[in-house]
Amino acid sequence: MLDAVWLVNAESLHVVAANHAAGELMAMAPSQLVGKDVIELATTPEDLFFWGEVAQGLSDSIESDTLVNDTHGVTHAVTRRVSRVQAGGEPPYFVVVLHDRSEQQRIERELEGASADLRATLESTQDGILVTDLVGRIRNFNQRFAALWQIPPDMLLQRDDDAVLEWMRRSVGDAPGYMRRLAAIDDATMLQATDVLRLHSGRVLERVTRPQCMHGRPIGRVYSFHDITERLEANERIETLSYTDALTGLPNRRLLADRAEIAIAQARRDGTPFSLLFLNLDRFNHINETLGRVYGDRVLLDVGDRIKTCVRQVDTVARLGSDEFVVLVNQADSRAAETTAWRMLDALKQPFSQGGMSFTVTASIGIALYPTDGASMDELMRRADAAMREVKHAGRAAFRFHRDRPEADHGVSRSRMRLDHAMRLALANERFRLHYQPQVDLNTGAVIGAEALIRWRDPELGEVSPGEFIPVAEESGFIVALGDWVLKHAVTQAARWDEAGLAMPVSVNVSALQFQQPGFVDGVAQALREAGLPPHLLELELTESILVQDAQDAMLRLQALAQLGVKLAIDDFGTGYSSLAYLKRFPIGRLKIDRSFVSGLPAEESDVALVHAIIHMGQALRLQVIAEGVETEAQRECLRVAGCDLFQGFLYAPALDVPAFEARIGFVGPARD
Ligand code: C2E
Ligand code: MG
Ligand code: MG
């Protein structure tokens, strides 16, 4: 026998024989065991008690787990079975069989340890976990699972699987869909799937399921549940914000453009005209400067409300920014437009009272009609805007229709032409320069990049700001040549730094027209090659408009650029056509929060909300977020706390020429020629 066996005389209770295994267990020769009193060999009270009862003739068998000590005093766990035997005329014996359990115990302890590890792991994840067997019985779950599904503790304690599964079914909004999906998952044992579940509680869970396998064979299924409610809310907020003006909640330029498109389509169909009224408050700056921006914001809210009372529900009142409002009046000819304009001027005439103060605000309105004044929303806006400006020149507080007045337009275009001409000369004469603005890590304070910004000092015009000449260059197409120049110089500078041991990524602004040139991607590749710059040290800053104009084509270009290894960022994020749809699809690495939102931090609630939403969204999409135009410590702190990654702005440094940039970041490079 493999187990240890003693034969015990039933009268004397002395061992009369022991096998080899018994000797090994007790660490002595089997012969040494012979003659020993079993009561002496007993280690536990149970054994003592049993042999005592045997002696009194009260008991003659036992089987249980117990312990025995060997001669060295080492304790062994055993299963001990005692039975009485009597064969033929022989005196009766007790057979004691001892089965050594140490190995089994070691395995049990290991299993216990592993299961404790598993439990700890299960409980420490942020996801709810549910493990089932192949027929859907619950095998394991963690507390987070119970919390996410708000399963009553009683139900879990009772381990009533049916009740738990039924509870889950009743918690989801679309129970039939949920059941269908579960059935499909059950049918496909090896299926891995991700689904989104909306619960009645308002929570949204992402469910990931995969098979659980042992030795390559499925034995059950693991479900993990991740709460994505907040992430979705941030996304939805961005979507609404991207259609509405954050301050007034009125439609913004984007929504206005959508509505104008619909109005144009309808007008084409049934031939009814519509009109666009461009309204700008008179001397609004004055209110802002004397009473403060908070006050100014309240006035803008009031103005929005009043304008809304002048039009029908079907019309659109949009705010473009600052004190500019645009009203789209559907099915309105010039007479209807005029009536509306009068109504708006009247509505504004009523004094405003804010914080115990009373004052009046007037406005100038320009009107353009479809189709007589333009065929597109852009054209109508330009015309209405021009008409509004004429009102301002003529003394404000009135309205005016657009009229073709070639002489007036002439003045504008001549100065534009002059600027355009001066730019072309400046490029030929190398009068453009690049300045670099440091981009700083909000957590470490390290400078991690530089944005190249163009500068131009003209002998006649003096220093001209890019805000002035870039739009002119974009309109005339000159931006393509200018953009090439910028790209080439910025890449050369980055390569120079790189050679000198300063790996400083440089960000270059790219205009839409430049981006759309057929050879744009090749041009970038060539510039990198010629300068010998590793592509990851170049970042291109694109505007949102680039991505929406011809999304298909833009996608191909962006992919080609990403393949080159060039980094991509969205500039002025939040001001244009912010749409999650494209962010998800395009290979973008970074979002730049526009300066206009940063300037309101930390006081402006709407700016704080928007900035938070952008940061959340960036995090959800794993994009870096950089804030532009950070001027104060308070702004920086607010952004840091909100989880923003990077910033640039006057607080750290404006755009600097190369020597000043190097001095600011404390770089001592090799002497320049
Ligand atoms: P952007 O790309 O959004 O550049 C940021 C602008 O904010 C720069 O104005 C910069 O000097 C300014 N800025 C930086 N920090 C602060 C701050 O703390 N406070 C304030 N108030 N402003 C700050 P800049 O250089 O006048 O450029 C204006 C715009 O012109 C740029 O906006 C960009 O759209 C365009 N631009 C500049 N250089 C180029 C270029 O090389 N190519 C193209 N296509 N566009 C350019
Ligand atoms: Mg930029
Ligand atoms: Mg910007």
Side-chain angles (χ1 to χ4, degrees), residues 38-190:
V38 275
I39 304 219
E40 274 170 40
L41 290 171
T43 303
T44 63
E46 188 189 18
D47 286 76
L48 279 174
F49 185 73
F50 168 70
W51 290 117
E53 292 216 306
V54 169
Q56 292 170 43
L58 298 173
S59 183
D60 60 5
S61 70
I62 184 170
E63 175 164 3
S64 63
D65 289 345
T66 183
L67 303 169
V68 290
N69 287 340
D70 65 19
T71 44
H72 305 308
V74 177
T75 306
H76 300 268
V78 294
T79 303
R80 173 249 313 107
R81 195 174 71 237
V82 179
S83 46
R84 189 183 153 99
V85 291
Q86 187 158 23
E90 303 270 323
Y93 291 102
F94 285 100
V95 180
V96 179
V97 181
L98 302 163
H99 172 73
D100 191 345
R101 291 177 52 239
S102 347
E103 179 61 14
Q104 190 185 342
Q105 262 199 334
R106 191 184 59 76
I107 293 172
E108 274 171 12
R109 262 199 300 274
E110 255 173 33
L111 279 177
E112 253 169 51
S115 127
D117 286 352
L118 187 66
R119 187 96 318 259
T121 314
L122 214 56
E123 291 303 344
S124 65
T125 124
Q126 271 306 297
D127 291 352
I129 308 271
L130 172 70
V131 186
T132 65
D133 64 14
L134 283 178
V135 292
R137 302 278 96 191
I138 295 176
R139 293 190 26 223
N140 217 332
F141 60 85
N142 63 359
Q143 291 308 314
R144 179 83 181 133
F145 162 75
L148 282 177
W149 285 89
Q150 300 176 319
I151 300 179
D154 287 351
M155 200 179 274
L156 286 173
L157 280 180
Q158 288 157 7
R159 302 226 57 159
D160 183 347
D161 288 6
D162 288 333
V164 172
L165 298 174
E166 172 63 9
W167 176 275
M168 290 170 72
R169 186 186 72 79
R170 276 193 288 141
S171 305
V172 291
D174 171 22
Y178 170 78
M179 292 311 279
R180 267 198 308 280
R181 184 75 181 131
L182 271 192
I185 291 173
D186 277 346
D187 279 349
T189 340
M190 294 308 284

Side-chain angles (χ1 to χ4, degrees), residues 598 627-632 635-636 639 647-652:
V598 173
E628 304 183 295
V630 175
E631 296 181 349
T632 68
Q635 288 168 347
R636 173 165 64 182
L639 287 159
F647 81 97
Q648 60 185 88
F650 296 165
L651 177 64
Y652 185 83

Side-chain angles (χ1 to χ4, degrees), residues 265-560:
Q266 173 161 9
R268 285 215 182 111
R269 244 182 289 121
D270 58 20
T272 51
F274 70 89
S275 47
L276 205 68
L277 282 69
F278 203 111
L279 179 148
N280 190 297
L281 296 181
D282 297 330
R283 301 202 168 90
F284 180 67
N285 271 351
H286 192 64
I287 296 181
N288 255 348
E289 277 157 23
T290 51
L291 303 173
R293 271 193 61 180
V294 178
Y295 208 91
D297 283 353
R298 276 203 234 127
V299 172
L300 290 174
L301 277 168
D302 261 6
V303 169
D305 285 345
R306 289 194 189 184
I307 296 177
K308 272 198 286 188
T309 64
C310 306
V311 294
R312 296 160 298 175
Q313 197 98 49
V314 293
D315 301 324
T316 302
V317 178
R319 176 171 174 252
L320 301 188
S322 67
D323 60 341
E324 282 186 335
F325 295 83
V326 172
V327 180
L328 188 160
V329 190
N330 286 298
Q331 302 185 318
D333 56 11
S334 57
R335 285 215 5 232
E338 184 174 340
T339 316
T340 310
W342 275 122
R343 247 191 255 142
M344 285 173 11
L345 291 176
D346 270 349
L348 293 178
K349 261 192 207 132
Q350 309 303 318
F352 286 83
S353 54
Q354 291 275 354
M357 248 183 299
S358 182
F359 53 90
T360 50
V361 176
T362 62
S364 303
I365 302 173
I367 306 172
L369 298 175
Y370 180 89
T372 39
D373 294 335
S376 69
M377 141 109 171
D378 279 352
E379 211 171 335
L380 291 172
M381 290 270 271
R382 270 208 307 279
R383 297 273 154 83
D385 186 2
M388 182 273 292
R389 272 168 220 293
E390 285 177 27
V391 177
K392 295 254 179 195
H393 282 301
R396 304 186 173 86
F399 68 86
R400 197 173 269 209
F401 281 93
H402 161 74
R403 270 172 300 155
D404 266 327
R405 297 213 316 176
E407 331 82 66
D409 279 345
H410 205 178
V412 179
S413 45
R414 210 171 38 216
S415 73
R416 291 205 151 206
M417 267 168 60
R418 193 169 147 230
L419 203 55
D420 198 56
H421 179 66
M423 271 192 288
R424 288 171 200 269
L425 277 182
L427 188 65
N429 294 322
E430 304 262 350
R431 284 199 198 112
F432 288 107
R433 294 158 290 138
L434 283 184
H435 279 191
Y436 295 88
Q437 184 171 41
Q439 300 177 321
V440 187
D441 188 308
L442 264 168
N443 289 308
T444 65
V447 173
I448 56 83
E451 177 175 4
L453 291 160
I454 193 163
R455 296 291 176 258
W456 171 27
R457 176 184 291 286
D458 189 80
E460 277 177 40
L461 305 168
E463 189 80 36
V464 190
S465 118
E468 199 177 328
F469 67 80
I470 293 282
V472 176
E474 282 174 337
E475 197 159 293
S476 72
F478 178 61
I479 191 68
V480 176
L482 194 57
D484 280 350
W485 181 92
V486 171
L487 182 70
K488 197 160 151 255
H489 280 73
V491 165
T492 307
Q493 180 57 51
R496 234 181 246 158
W497 274 328
D498 192 39
E499 273 158 34
L502 177 67
M504 178 61 63
V506 166
S507 305
V508 172
N509 291 285
V510 175
S511 286
L513 190 63
Q514 190 188 352
F515 182 79
Q516 285 150 2
Q517 293 305 302
F520 178 70
V521 177
D522 291 340
V524 172
Q526 191 186 342
L528 289 168
R529 225 178 12 252
E530 280 173 5
L533 182 70
H536 73 272
L537 291 180
L538 174 65
E539 179 181 67
L540 300 180
E541 290 190 5
L542 313 169
T543 54
E544 296 166 276
S545 57
I546 287 184
L547 307 185
V548 280
Q549 272 169 14
D550 184 351
Q552 190 55 39
D553 183 55
M555 175 63 118
L556 292 176
R557 274 161 207 260
L558 292 177
Q559 279 170 344

Side-chain angles (χ1 to χ4, degrees), residues 209-261:
T209 172
R210 50 171 60 93
Q212 186 194 16
C213 291
M214 204 157 123
H215 306 308
R217 298 246 313 274
I219 56 162
R221 204 160 250 300
V222 180
Y223 295 90
S224 66
F225 301 91
H226 189 73
D227 191 337
I228 56 169
T229 319
E230 263 94 50
R231 194 169 92 199
L232 284 184
E233 273 169 7
N235 292 355
E236 274 160 20
R237 211 152 71 216
I238 284 272
E239 284 289 352
T240 353
L241 283 170
S242 67
Y243 275 110
T244 57
D245 165 46
L247 171 69
T248 58
L250 292 174
N252 64 5
R253 186 186 291 269
R254 182 181 177 198
L255 190 48
L256 176 68
D258 285 357
R259 300 266 172 89
E261 216 166 276

